[in-house]
CSV table of all heavy atoms in Angstrom, one decimal:
chain,number,residue,atom,x,y,z
Z,1,MET,N,55.3,63.8,-30.6
Z,1,MET,CA,56.8,64.3,-30.5
Z,1,MET,C,57.0,64.9,-29.1
Z,1,MET,O,58.0,64.6,-28.4
Z,1,MET,CB,56.9,65.4,-31.5
Z,1,MET,CG,58.4,65.8,-31.7
Z,1,MET,SD,59.5,64.5,-32.2
Z,1,MET,CE,61.1,65.2,-31.8
Z,2,LYS,N,56.0,65.6,-28.5
Z,2,LYS,CA,56.1,66.1,-27.2
Z,2,LYS,C,56.2,65.0,-26.1
Z,2,LYS,O,57.0,65.2,-25.2
Z,2,LYS,CB,54.8,67.0,-26.9
Z,2,LYS,CG,55.0,68.1,-25.9
Z,2,LYS,CD,53.8,68.9,-25.8
Z,2,LYS,CE,53.9,70.0,-24.7
Z,2,LYS,NZ,52.7,70.7,-24.5
Z,3,LYS,N,55.5,64.0,-26.4
Z,3,LYS,CA,55.6,62.8,-25.5
Z,3,LYS,C,57.0,62.2,-25.4
Z,3,LYS,O,57.5,61.8,-24.3
Z,3,LYS,CB,54.6,61.7,-26.0
Z,3,LYS,CG,53.9,61.0,-24.8
Z,3,LYS,CD,52.8,60.1,-25.4
Z,3,LYS,CE,52.1,59.4,-24.2
Z,3,LYS,NZ,51.1,58.5,-24.7
Z,4,ILE,N,57.6,62.1,-26.6
Z,4,ILE,CA,59.0,61.6,-26.6
Z,4,ILE,C,60.0,62.5,-25.8
Z,4,ILE,O,60.7,62.0,-25.0
Z,4,ILE,CB,59.5,61.5,-28.1
Z,4,ILE,CG1,58.6,60.4,-28.8
Z,4,ILE,CG2,60.9,61.0,-28.2
Z,4,ILE,CD1,58.7,60.5,-30.3
Z,5,ILE,N,59.8,63.8,-26.0
Z,5,ILE,CA,60.7,64.7,-25.3
Z,5,ILE,C,60.5,64.6,-23.8
Z,5,ILE,O,61.4,64.5,-23.0
Z,5,ILE,CB,60.5,66.2,-25.8
Z,5,ILE,CG1,60.9,66.4,-27.2
Z,5,ILE,CG2,61.2,67.2,-24.9
Z,5,ILE,CD1,60.4,67.6,-27.9
Z,6,LEU,N,59.2,64.5,-23.4
Z,6,LEU,CA,58.9,64.3,-22.0
Z,6,LEU,C,59.5,63.0,-21.4
Z,6,LEU,O,60.1,63.1,-20.3
Z,6,LEU,CB,57.4,64.3,-21.8
Z,6,LEU,CG,56.7,65.7,-21.7
Z,6,LEU,CD1,55.2,65.5,-21.7
Z,6,LEU,CD2,57.3,66.5,-20.6
Z,7,SER,N,59.4,61.9,-22.1
Z,7,SER,CA,60.0,60.7,-21.6
Z,7,SER,C,61.5,60.7,-21.6
Z,7,SER,O,62.1,60.2,-20.7
Z,7,SER,CB,59.5,59.5,-22.5
Z,7,SER,OG,59.7,59.7,-23.8
Z,8,ILE,N,62.2,61.5,-22.5
Z,8,ILE,CA,63.6,61.6,-22.5
Z,8,ILE,C,64.0,62.5,-21.2
Z,8,ILE,O,64.9,62.1,-20.5
Z,8,ILE,CB,64.1,62.3,-23.8
Z,8,ILE,CG1,64.0,61.3,-25.0
Z,8,ILE,CG2,65.6,62.8,-23.6
Z,8,ILE,CD1,64.2,62.0,-26.3
Z,9,LEU,N,63.2,63.5,-21.0
Z,9,LEU,CA,63.5,64.4,-19.8
Z,9,LEU,C,63.3,63.5,-18.5
Z,9,LEU,O,64.1,63.7,-17.6
Z,9,LEU,CB,62.5,65.6,-19.8
Z,9,LEU,CG,62.9,66.7,-20.8
Z,9,LEU,CD1,61.8,67.8,-20.7
Z,9,LEU,CD2,64.3,67.3,-20.4
Z,10,ALA,N,62.3,62.7,-18.5
Z,10,ALA,CA,62.0,61.9,-17.3
Z,10,ALA,C,63.2,60.9,-17.1
Z,10,ALA,O,63.6,60.7,-16.0
Z,10,ALA,CB,60.7,61.1,-17.5
Z,11,PHE,N,63.6,60.3,-18.2
Z,11,PHE,CA,64.8,59.4,-18.1
Z,11,PHE,C,66.0,60.1,-17.6
Z,11,PHE,O,66.7,59.6,-16.7
Z,11,PHE,CB,65.0,58.8,-19.5
Z,11,PHE,CG,66.2,57.9,-19.6
Z,11,PHE,CD1,66.3,56.7,-19.0
Z,11,PHE,CD2,67.4,58.4,-20.1
Z,11,PHE,CE1,67.4,55.9,-19.0
Z,11,PHE,CE2,68.6,57.6,-20.2
Z,11,PHE,CZ,68.5,56.4,-19.6
Z,12,LEU,N,66.3,61.3,-18.1
Z,12,LEU,CA,67.5,62.0,-17.7
Z,12,LEU,C,67.4,62.4,-16.2
Z,12,LEU,O,68.3,62.2,-15.4
Z,12,LEU,CB,67.7,63.3,-18.5
Z,12,LEU,CG,68.1,63.1,-19.9
Z,12,LEU,CD1,68.1,64.5,-20.7
Z,12,LEU,CD2,69.5,62.5,-19.9
Z,13,PHE,N,66.2,62.7,-15.8
Z,13,PHE,CA,65.9,63.1,-14.4
Z,13,PHE,C,66.2,61.9,-13.5
Z,13,PHE,O,66.8,62.0,-12.5
Z,13,PHE,CB,64.5,63.6,-14.2
Z,13,PHE,CG,64.2,63.9,-12.8
Z,13,PHE,CD1,64.7,65.0,-12.1
Z,13,PHE,CD2,63.3,63.0,-12.0
Z,13,PHE,CE1,64.3,65.3,-10.8
Z,13,PHE,CE2,63.0,63.3,-10.7
Z,13,PHE,CZ,63.5,64.4,-10.1
Z,14,LEU,N,65.6,60.7,-13.9
Z,14,LEU,CA,65.7,59.5,-13.1
Z,14,LEU,C,67.2,59.0,-13.0
Z,14,LEU,O,67.7,58.7,-12.0
Z,14,LEU,CB,64.9,58.4,-13.7
Z,14,LEU,CG,63.4,58.5,-13.4
Z,14,LEU,CD1,62.6,57.4,-14.2
Z,14,LEU,CD2,63.1,58.4,-11.9
Z,15,SER,N,67.9,59.1,-14.1
Z,15,SER,CA,69.3,58.6,-14.2
Z,15,SER,C,70.2,59.5,-13.3
Z,15,SER,O,71.1,59.1,-12.7
Z,15,SER,CB,69.8,58.4,-15.6
Z,15,SER,OG,69.5,59.6,-16.3
Z,16,SER,N,69.8,60.8,-13.3
Z,16,SER,CA,70.6,61.7,-12.5
Z,16,SER,C,70.4,61.5,-11.0
Z,16,SER,O,71.3,61.7,-10.2
Z,16,SER,CB,70.3,63.2,-12.8
Z,16,SER,OG,69.0,63.5,-12.5
Z,17,THR,N,69.2,61.1,-10.6
Z,17,THR,CA,68.9,60.8,-9.2
Z,17,THR,C,69.7,59.5,-8.7
Z,17,THR,O,70.1,59.4,-7.6
Z,17,THR,CB,67.4,60.7,-8.9
Z,17,THR,OG1,66.8,60.1,-10.0
Z,17,THR,CG2,66.8,62.0,-8.5
Z,18,ILE,N,69.8,58.6,-9.7
Z,18,ILE,CA,70.5,57.4,-9.3
Z,18,ILE,C,71.9,57.6,-9.1
Z,18,ILE,O,72.5,57.2,-8.1
Z,18,ILE,CB,70.3,56.3,-10.5
Z,18,ILE,CG1,68.8,55.8,-10.5
Z,18,ILE,CG2,71.2,55.1,-10.3
Z,18,ILE,CD1,68.4,55.1,-11.8
Z,19,THR,N,72.6,58.4,-9.9
Z,19,THR,CA,74.0,58.7,-9.8
Z,19,THR,C,74.2,59.6,-8.6
Z,19,THR,O,75.3,59.7,-8.0
Z,19,THR,CB,74.6,59.4,-11.0
Z,19,THR,OG1,73.6,60.2,-11.6
Z,19,THR,CG2,75.0,58.4,-12.1
Z,20,PHE,N,73.1,60.3,-8.2
Z,20,PHE,CA,73.3,61.3,-7.1
Z,20,PHE,C,73.5,60.5,-5.8
Z,20,PHE,O,74.2,60.9,-4.9
Z,20,PHE,CB,72.0,62.1,-6.9
Z,20,PHE,CG,72.2,63.3,-6.1
Z,20,PHE,CD1,73.0,64.4,-6.5
Z,20,PHE,CD2,71.6,63.3,-4.8
Z,20,PHE,CE1,73.1,65.5,-5.6
Z,20,PHE,CE2,71.8,64.4,-4.0
Z,20,PHE,CZ,72.5,65.5,-4.4
Z,21,ALA,N,72.9,59.3,-5.7
Z,21,ALA,CA,73.1,58.4,-4.5
Z,21,ALA,C,74.5,57.8,-4.6
Z,21,ALA,O,74.7,56.8,-5.3
Z,21,ALA,CB,72.1,57.4,-4.4
Z,22,GLU,N,75.4,58.4,-3.8
Z,22,GLU,CA,76.8,58.0,-3.9
Z,22,GLU,C,77.1,56.8,-3.0
Z,22,GLU,O,76.8,56.8,-1.8
Z,22,GLU,CB,77.7,59.2,-3.5
Z,22,GLU,CG,79.2,58.9,-3.9
Z,22,GLU,CD,80.0,60.1,-3.3
Z,22,GLU,OE1,79.5,61.2,-3.0
Z,22,GLU,OE2,81.3,59.9,-3.3
Z,23,MET,N,77.6,55.7,-3.6
Z,23,MET,CA,77.8,54.5,-2.9
Z,23,MET,C,79.3,54.5,-2.3
Z,23,MET,O,80.2,54.9,-3.0
Z,23,MET,CB,77.6,53.3,-3.7
Z,23,MET,CG,76.1,53.1,-4.2
Z,23,MET,SD,74.9,53.1,-2.9
Z,23,MET,CE,75.0,51.5,-2.4
Z,24,VAL,N,79.4,54.0,-1.1
Z,24,VAL,CA,80.7,53.9,-0.5
Z,24,VAL,C,80.8,52.5,0.1
Z,24,VAL,O,79.8,51.9,0.4
Z,24,VAL,CB,81.0,55.0,0.6
Z,24,VAL,CG1,81.0,56.4,0.0
Z,24,VAL,CG2,79.9,55.0,1.7
Z,25,LEU,N,82.0,52.2,0.4
Z,25,LEU,CA,82.3,50.9,1.2
Z,25,LEU,C,82.5,51.2,2.6
Z,25,LEU,O,83.4,51.9,3.0
Z,25,LEU,CB,83.5,50.2,0.6
Z,25,LEU,CG,83.4,48.7,0.6
Z,25,LEU,CD1,82.4,48.2,-0.4
Z,25,LEU,CD2,84.7,48.1,0.3
Z,26,PHE,N,81.5,50.8,3.4
Z,26,PHE,CA,81.5,51.1,4.8
Z,26,PHE,C,82.0,50.0,5.7
Z,26,PHE,O,81.5,48.9,5.6
Z,26,PHE,CB,80.1,51.6,5.2
Z,26,PHE,CG,79.9,51.9,6.7
Z,26,PHE,CD1,80.6,53.0,7.2
Z,26,PHE,CD2,79.1,51.2,7.5
Z,26,PHE,CE1,80.4,53.4,8.6
Z,26,PHE,CE2,78.9,51.5,8.8
Z,26,PHE,CZ,79.5,52.6,9.4
Z,27,ASN,N,83.0,50.2,6.5
Z,27,ASN,CA,83.5,49.2,7.4
Z,27,ASN,C,82.7,49.3,8.7
Z,27,ASN,O,82.8,50.3,9.5
Z,27,ASN,CB,85.0,49.5,7.7
Z,27,ASN,CG,85.7,48.3,8.4
Z,27,ASN,OD1,85.1,47.7,9.3
Z,27,ASN,ND2,86.9,48.0,8.0
Z,28,THR,N,82.0,48.3,9.0
Z,28,THR,CA,81.1,48.2,10.2
Z,28,THR,C,81.9,48.1,11.5
Z,28,THR,O,81.3,48.4,12.5
Z,28,THR,CB,80.1,47.1,10.1
Z,28,THR,OG1,80.8,45.9,9.8
Z,28,THR,CG2,79.1,47.3,9.0
Z,29,LYS,N,83.1,47.7,11.4
Z,29,LYS,CA,83.9,47.6,12.6
Z,29,LYS,C,84.7,48.8,13.0
Z,29,LYS,O,84.7,49.3,14.1
Z,29,LYS,CB,84.9,46.4,12.4
Z,29,LYS,CG,85.3,45.8,13.7
Z,29,LYS,CD,86.0,44.4,13.4
Z,29,LYS,CE,86.3,43.7,14.8
Z,29,LYS,NZ,87.0,42.4,14.5
Z,30,THR,N,85.4,49.4,12.0
Z,30,THR,CA,86.2,50.6,12.2
Z,30,THR,C,85.4,51.9,12.0
Z,30,THR,O,85.8,53.0,12.3
Z,30,THR,CB,87.5,50.7,11.4
Z,30,THR,OG1,87.1,50.7,10.0
Z,30,THR,CG2,88.3,49.5,11.6
Z,31,LEU,N,84.2,51.7,11.4
Z,31,LEU,CA,83.3,52.8,11.0
Z,31,LEU,C,83.9,53.8,9.9
Z,31,LEU,O,83.4,54.8,9.7
Z,31,LEU,CB,82.8,53.6,12.2
Z,31,LEU,CG,82.1,52.9,13.3
Z,31,LEU,CD1,81.7,53.8,14.4
Z,31,LEU,CD2,80.8,52.2,12.7
Z,32,LYS,N,84.9,53.3,9.3
Z,32,LYS,CA,85.5,54.1,8.2
Z,32,LYS,C,84.8,53.8,6.9
Z,32,LYS,O,84.4,52.7,6.7
Z,32,LYS,CB,87.0,53.9,8.0
Z,32,LYS,CG,87.8,54.7,9.0
Z,32,LYS,CD,89.3,54.6,8.7
Z,32,LYS,CE,90.1,55.5,9.7
Z,32,LYS,NZ,91.5,55.3,9.5
Z,33,TYR,N,84.6,54.8,6.1
Z,33,TYR,CA,84.0,54.6,4.8
Z,33,TYR,C,84.9,55.0,3.7
Z,33,TYR,O,85.7,56.0,3.8
Z,33,TYR,CB,82.6,55.1,4.6
Z,33,TYR,CG,82.5,56.6,4.8
Z,33,TYR,CD1,82.6,57.4,3.6
Z,33,TYR,CD2,82.2,57.2,6.0
Z,33,TYR,CE1,82.4,58.8,3.7
Z,33,TYR,CE2,82.0,58.6,6.1
Z,33,TYR,CZ,82.1,59.4,5.0
Z,33,TYR,OH,82.0,60.7,5.0
Z,34,HIS,N,84.9,54.3,2.5
Z,34,HIS,CA,85.8,54.6,1.4
Z,34,HIS,C,85.0,54.7,0.1
Z,34,HIS,O,84.0,54.2,0.0
Z,34,HIS,CB,86.7,53.3,1.2
Z,34,HIS,CG,87.6,53.0,2.4
Z,34,HIS,ND1,88.8,53.5,2.6
Z,34,HIS,CD2,87.3,52.2,3.5
Z,34,HIS,CE1,89.3,53.0,3.7
Z,34,HIS,NE2,88.4,52.2,4.3
Z,35,GLN,N,85.7,55.4,-0.8
Z,35,GLN,CA,85.2,55.4,-2.2
Z,35,GLN,C,85.5,54.1,-2.7
Z,35,GLN,O,86.3,53.3,-2.3
Z,35,GLN,CB,86.1,56.4,-3.0
Z,35,GLN,CG,85.9,57.9,-2.6
Z,35,GLN,CD,84.6,58.5,-3.0
Z,35,GLN,OE1,84.0,58.1,-4.0
Z,35,GLN,NE2,84.0,59.3,-2.1
Z,36,LEU,N,84.6,53.6,-3.7
Z,36,LEU,CA,84.7,52.3,-4.2
Z,36,LEU,C,86.1,52.0,-4.9
Z,36,LEU,O,86.5,50.8,-4.9
Z,36,LEU,CB,83.6,52.0,-5.2
Z,36,LEU,CG,82.2,52.1,-4.5
Z,36,LEU,CD1,81.1,51.8,-5.6
Z,36,LEU,CD2,82.0,51.2,-3.3
Z,37,TRP,N,86.7,53.0,-5.4
Z,37,TRP,CA,88.0,52.8,-6.1
Z,37,TRP,C,89.2,52.8,-5.1
Z,37,TRP,O,90.3,52.6,-5.5
Z,37,TRP,CB,88.2,53.9,-7.2
Z,37,TRP,CG,87.9,55.3,-6.7
Z,37,TRP,CD1,86.8,56.0,-6.8
Z,37,TRP,CD2,88.8,56.2,-5.9
Z,37,TRP,NE1,86.9,57.3,-6.2
Z,37,TRP,CE2,88.1,57.4,-5.6
Z,37,TRP,CE3,90.1,56.0,-5.4
Z,37,TRP,CZ2,88.6,58.4,-4.9
Z,37,TRP,CZ3,90.6,57.1,-4.7
Z,37,TRP,CH2,89.9,58.2,-4.4
Z,38,CYS,N,89.0,53.1,-3.9
Z,38,CYS,CA,90.1,53.3,-2.9
Z,38,CYS,C,90.8,51.9,-2.7
Z,38,CYS,O,90.2,50.8,-2.7
Z,38,CYS,CB,89.5,53.7,-1.6
Z,38,CYS,SG,90.8,53.9,-0.3
Z,39,ARG,N,92.1,52.0,-2.6
Z,39,ARG,CA,92.9,50.8,-2.5
Z,39,ARG,C,92.7,50.1,-1.1
Z,39,ARG,O,92.8,48.9,-1.0
Z,39,ARG,CB,94.4,51.1,-2.6
Z,39,ARG,CG,95.0,52.0,-1.6
Z,39,ARG,CD,96.4,52.5,-2.1
Z,39,ARG,NE,96.9,53.6,-1.4
Z,39,ARG,CZ,97.8,53.6,-0.5
Z,39,ARG,NH1,98.4,52.5,-0.2
Z,39,ARG,NH2,98.2,54.7,0.1
Z,40,TRP,N,92.3,50.9,-0.1
Z,40,TRP,CA,91.9,50.3,1.2
Z,40,TRP,C,90.5,49.6,1.1
Z,40,TRP,O,90.3,48.6,1.8
Z,40,TRP,CB,91.9,51.3,2.3
Z,40,TRP,CG,93.3,51.8,2.5
Z,40,TRP,CD1,93.8,53.1,2.1
Z,40,TRP,CD2,94.4,51.1,3.1
Z,40,TRP,NE1,95.1,53.1,2.4
Z,40,TRP,CE2,95.5,52.0,3.0
Z,40,TRP,CE3,94.5,49.9,3.7
Z,40,TRP,CZ2,96.7,51.6,3.5
Z,40,TRP,CZ3,95.7,49.5,4.2
Z,40,TRP,CH2,96.8,50.4,4.1
Z,41,ALA,N,89.7,50.1,0.3
Z,41,ALA,CA,88.4,49.5,0.1
Z,41,ALA,C,88.5,48.1,-0.6
Z,41,ALA,O,87.8,47.2,-0.2
Z,41,ALA,CB,87.5,50.4,-0.8
Z,42,ALA,N,89.5,48.0,-1.4
Z,42,ALA,CA,89.8,46.7,-2.1
Z,42,ALA,C,90.3,45.7,-1.0
Z,42,ALA,O,90.0,44.5,-1.2
Z,42,ALA,CB,90.8,46.8,-3.2
Z,43,LYS,N,90.9,46.2,0.0
Z,43,LYS,CA,91.5,45.3,1.0
Z,43,LYS,C,90.4,44.9,2.1
Z,43,LYS,O,90.5,44.0,2.8
Z,43,LYS,CB,92.7,45.9,1.7
Z,43,LYS,CG,93.9,45.9,0.9
Z,43,LYS,CD,95.1,46.5,1.6
Z,43,LYS,CE,96.3,46.5,0.7
Z,43,LYS,NZ,97.4,47.0,1.4
Z,44,CYS,N,89.4,45.7,2.1
Z,44,CYS,CA,88.4,45.5,3.1
Z,44,CYS,C,87.2,44.6,2.6
Z,44,CYS,O,86.5,45.0,1.7
Z,44,CYS,CB,87.7,46.9,3.4
Z,44,CYS,SG,86.5,46.8,4.7
Z,45,THR,N,87.3,43.3,3.1
Z,45,THR,CA,86.4,42.4,2.6
Z,45,THR,C,85.5,41.8,3.6
Z,45,THR,O,84.4,41.3,3.3
Z,45,THR,CB,87.2,41.2,1.8
Z,45,THR,OG1,88.2,40.7,2.7
Z,45,THR,CG2,87.8,41.7,0.6
Z,46,VAL,N,86.0,41.8,4.9
Z,46,VAL,CA,85.2,41.1,5.9
Z,46,VAL,C,84.1,41.9,6.5
Z,46,VAL,O,82.9,41.5,6.5
Z,46,VAL,CB,86.2,40.6,7.1
Z,46,VAL,CG1,85.4,39.8,8.2
Z,46,VAL,CG2,87.3,39.8,6.5
Z,47,ASN,N,84.4,43.1,7.0
Z,47,ASN,CA,83.4,43.9,7.7
Z,47,ASN,C,82.8,45.0,6.8
Z,47,ASN,O,82.0,45.8,7.3
Z,47,ASN,CB,84.0,44.5,8.9
Z,47,ASN,CG,84.5,43.5,9.9
Z,47,ASN,OD1,83.8,42.6,10.3
Z,47,ASN,ND2,85.7,43.5,10.2
Z,48,CYS,N,83.1,45.0,5.5
Z,48,CYS,CA,82.7,46.1,4.7
Z,48,CYS,C,81.4,45.8,4.0
Z,48,CYS,O,81.2,44.7,3.4
Z,48,CYS,CB,83.8,46.5,3.7
Z,48,CYS,SG,85.0,47.4,4.5
Z,49,ILE,N,80.5,46.8,3.9
Z,49,ILE,CA,79.3,46.7,3.2
Z,49,ILE,C,79.2,47.9,2.3
Z,49,ILE,O,79.7,49.0,2.6
Z,49,ILE,CB,78.1,46.7,4.1
Z,49,ILE,CG1,78.1,47.8,5.2
Z,49,ILE,CG2,78.0,45.3,4.8
Z,49,ILE,CD1,76.8,47.9,5.9
Z,50,LYS,N,78.5,47.7,1.1
Z,50,LYS,CA,78.4,48.8,0.2
Z,50,LYS,C,77.0,49.5,0.5
Z,50,LYS,O,76.0,48.9,0.3
Z,50,LYS,CB,78.3,48.2,-1.2
Z,50,LYS,CG,78.6,49.2,-2.3
Z,50,LYS,CD,78.7,48.4,-3.6
Z,50,LYS,CE,78.4,49.3,-4.8
Z,50,LYS,NZ,78.3,48.5,-6.0
Z,51,ILE,N,77.1,50.7,1.0
Z,51,ILE,CA,75.9,51.5,1.3
Z,51,ILE,C,76.0,52.9,0.7
Z,51,ILE,O,77.1,53.3,0.3
Z,51,ILE,CB,75.6,51.5,2.8
Z,51,ILE,CG1,76.8,52.1,3.6
Z,51,ILE,CG2,75.2,50.1,3.3
Z,51,ILE,CD1,76.6,52.4,5.0
Z,52,ASP,N,74.9,53.6,0.8
Z,52,ASP,CA,74.9,55.0,0.4
Z,52,ASP,C,75.7,55.9,1.4
Z,52,ASP,O,75.8,55.6,2.6
Z,52,ASP,CB,73.4,55.5,0.5
Z,52,ASP,CG,73.2,56.8,0.0
Z,52,ASP,OD1,73.5,57.1,-1.2
Z,52,ASP,OD2,72.8,57.7,0.7
Z,53,LYS,N,76.4,56.8,0.9
Z,53,LYS,CA,77.3,57.7,1.7
Z,53,LYS,C,76.6,58.3,2.8
Z,53,LYS,O,77.1,58.4,3.9
Z,53,LYS,CB,77.9,58.7,0.8
Z,53,LYS,CG,79.0,59.5,1.4
Z,53,LYS,CD,79.7,60.4,0.5
Z,53,LYS,CE,80.8,61.2,1.2
Z,53,LYS,NZ,81.5,62.1,0.2
Z,54,LYS,N,75.3,58.8,2.6
Z,54,LYS,CA,74.5,59.4,3.6
Z,54,LYS,C,74.2,58.4,4.8
Z,54,LYS,O,74.3,58.8,5.9
Z,54,LYS,CB,73.2,59.9,3.0
Z,54,LYS,CG,73.3,61.2,2.3
Z,54,LYS,CD,71.9,61.6,1.8
Z,54,LYS,CE,72.0,62.6,0.7
Z,54,LYS,NZ,70.7,62.6,-0.1
Z,55,GLU,N,74.0,57.2,4.4
Z,55,GLU,CA,73.7,56.1,5.3
Z,55,GLU,C,75.0,55.8,6.2
Z,55,GLU,O,74.9,55.7,7.4
Z,55,GLU,CB,73.3,54.8,4.6
Z,55,GLU,CG,73.1,53.6,5.4
Z,55,GLU,CD,71.9,53.7,6.5
Z,55,GLU,OE1,71.0,54.6,6.3
Z,55,GLU,OE2,71.9,53.0,7.4
Z,56,ALA,N,76.2,55.9,5.6
Z,56,ALA,CA,77.4,55.7,6.3
Z,56,ALA,C,77.6,56.8,7.3
Z,56,ALA,O,78.0,56.5,8.4
Z,56,ALA,CB,78.6,55.6,5.3
Z,57,ILE,N,77.3,58.0,6.9
Z,57,ILE,CA,77.5,59.2,7.8
Z,57,ILE,C,76.5,59.1,9.0
Z,57,ILE,O,76.8,59.3,10.1
Z,57,ILE,CB,77.3,60.5,7.0
Z,57,ILE,CG1,78.5,60.7,6.0
Z,57,ILE,CG2,77.3,61.7,8.0
Z,57,ILE,CD1,78.3,61.7,5.0
Z,58,ASN,N,75.3,58.6,8.6
Z,58,ASN,CA,74.2,58.4,9.6
Z,58,ASN,C,74.7,57.4,10.7
Z,58,ASN,O,74.3,57.5,11.9
Z,58,ASN,CB,72.9,57.9,9.0
Z,58,ASN,CG,72.2,59.1,8.4
Z,58,ASN,OD1,72.4,60.2,8.7
Z,58,ASN,ND2,71.2,58.7,7.5
Z,59,ARG,N,75.4,56.4,10.3
Z,59,ARG,CA,75.9,55.4,11.2
Z,59,ARG,C,77.2,55.8,12.0
Z,59,ARG,O,77.8,55.0,12.6
Z,59,ARG,CB,76.2,54.1,10.4
Z,59,ARG,CG,74.9,53.5,9.8
Z,59,ARG,CD,75.3,52.1,9.4
Z,59,ARG,NE,74.2,51.5,8.6
Z,59,ARG,CZ,74.2,50.2,8.3
Z,59,ARG,NH1,75.1,49.4,8.8
Z,59,ARG,NH2,73.2,49.7,7.6
Z,60,GLY,N,77.6,57.1,11.8
Z,60,GLY,CA,78.7,57.6,12.5
Z,60,GLY,C,80.0,57.3,11.7
Z,60,GLY,O,81.1,57.1,12.4
Z,61,GLY,N,80.0,57.2,10.4
Z,61,GLY,CA,81.1,56.9,9.6
Z,61,GLY,C,82.2,58.0,9.6
Z,61,GLY,O,81.8,59.1,9.7
Z,62,ILE,N,83.4,57.5,9.5
Z,62,ILE,CA,84.5,58.4,9.4
Z,62,ILE,C,85.1,58.3,8.0
Z,62,ILE,O,85.4,57.2,7.6
Z,62,ILE,CB,85.6,58.0,10.5
Z,62,ILE,CG1,85.0,57.9,11.9
Z,62,ILE,CG2,86.8,59.0,10.5
Z,62,ILE,CD1,85.7,56.9,12.7
Z,63,PRO,N,85.3,59.4,7.3
Z,63,PRO,CA,85.9,59.4,6.0
Z,63,PRO,C,87.3,58.9,6.0
Z,63,PRO,O,88.1,59.3,6.9
Z,63,PRO,CB,85.7,60.8,5.4
Z,63,PRO,CG,85.5,61.6,6.6
Z,63,PRO,CD,84.9,60.8,7.7
Z,64,CYS,N,87.6,58.1,5.1
Z,64,CYS,CA,89.0,57.5,4.9
Z,64,CYS,C,90.0,58.7,4.6
Z,64,CYS,O,89.6,59.6,3.8
Z,64,CYS,CB,89.0,56.5,3.8
Z,64,CYS,SG,90.6,56.1,3.2
Z,65,LYS,N,91.2,58.7,5.1
Z,65,LYS,CA,92.1,59.8,4.9
Z,65,LYS,C,92.8,59.7,3.5
Z,65,LYS,O,93.3,60.7,2.9
Z,65,LYS,CB,93.3,59.7,5.9
Z,65,LYS,CG,92.8,60.4,7.2
Z,65,LYS,CD,93.9,60.3,8.3
Z,65,LYS,CE,93.3,60.7,9.6
Z,65,LYS,NZ,94.2,60.4,10.7
Z,66,VAL,N,92.8,58.5,2.9
Z,66,VAL,CA,93.4,58.3,1.6
Z,66,VAL,C,92.4,58.8,0.5
Z,66,VAL,O,92.9,59.6,-0.4
Z,66,VAL,CB,93.7,56.8,1.4
Z,66,VAL,CG1,94.3,56.6,0.0
Z,66,VAL,CG2,94.7,56.4,2.5
Z,67,CYS,N,91.2,58.3,0.5
Z,67,CYS,CA,90.3,58.6,-0.6
Z,67,CYS,C,89.3,59.8,-0.2
Z,67,CYS,O,88.6,60.2,-1.1
Z,67,CYS,CB,89.5,57.4,-1.0
Z,67,CYS,SG,88.5,56.7,0.3
Z,68,GLY,N,89.3,60.1,1.0
Z,68,GLY,CA,88.4,61.2,1.5
Z,68,GLY,C,87.0,60.7,1.7
Z,68,GLY,O,86.1,61.5,1.9
Z,69,GLY,N,86.7,59.4,1.7
Z,69,GLY,CA,85.4,58.9,1.9
Z,69,GLY,C,84.5,59.0,0.7
Z,69,GLY,O,83.5,59.4,0.7
N,1,LIG,ZN1,89.8,54.9,1.4
């Protein structure tokens, strides 16, 4: 029984770390980054890559004014 509880806790811990890594759509040309639901993100198809928000900031990313990055 203890083992089951431990594995549930481990699962919850792992899934929380996955959601913690926030993905954004980063425009490699304008350096702006968007939330995935942003209407500008939907229009950005050529230079945009889906990366971690921290990675976008590391690359000198600017948060979008519409969605806040
Ligand atoms: Zn945006």
Side-chain angles (χ1 to χ4, degrees):
M1 192 61 196
K2 205 175 177 185
K3 214 172 183 182
I4 296 164
I5 294 165
L6 278 175
S7 51
I8 291 167
L9 283 175
F11 173 76
L12 287 174
F13 176 74
L14 284 174
S15 49
S16 66
T17 34
I18 291 162
T19 39
F20 194 73
E22 196 184 341
M23 298 305 281
V24 292
L25 213 69
F26 179 65
N27 190 319
T28 54
K29 207 167 187 180
T30 63
L31 298 180
K32 275 191 182 172
Y33 63 89
H34 302 270
Q35 295 289 324
L36 299 179
W37 48 261
C38 180
R39 61 193 166 106
W40 295 105
K43 287 183 183 182
C44 185
T45 51
V46 182
N47 300 303
C48 282
I49 50 167
K50 198 175 155 188
I51 55 169
D52 187 59
K53 189 174 178 176
K54 280 181 197 161
E55 177 66 20
I57 294 164
N58 281 343
R59 293 194 191 194
I62 306 151
C64 165
K65 281 177 187 168
V66 178
C67 62

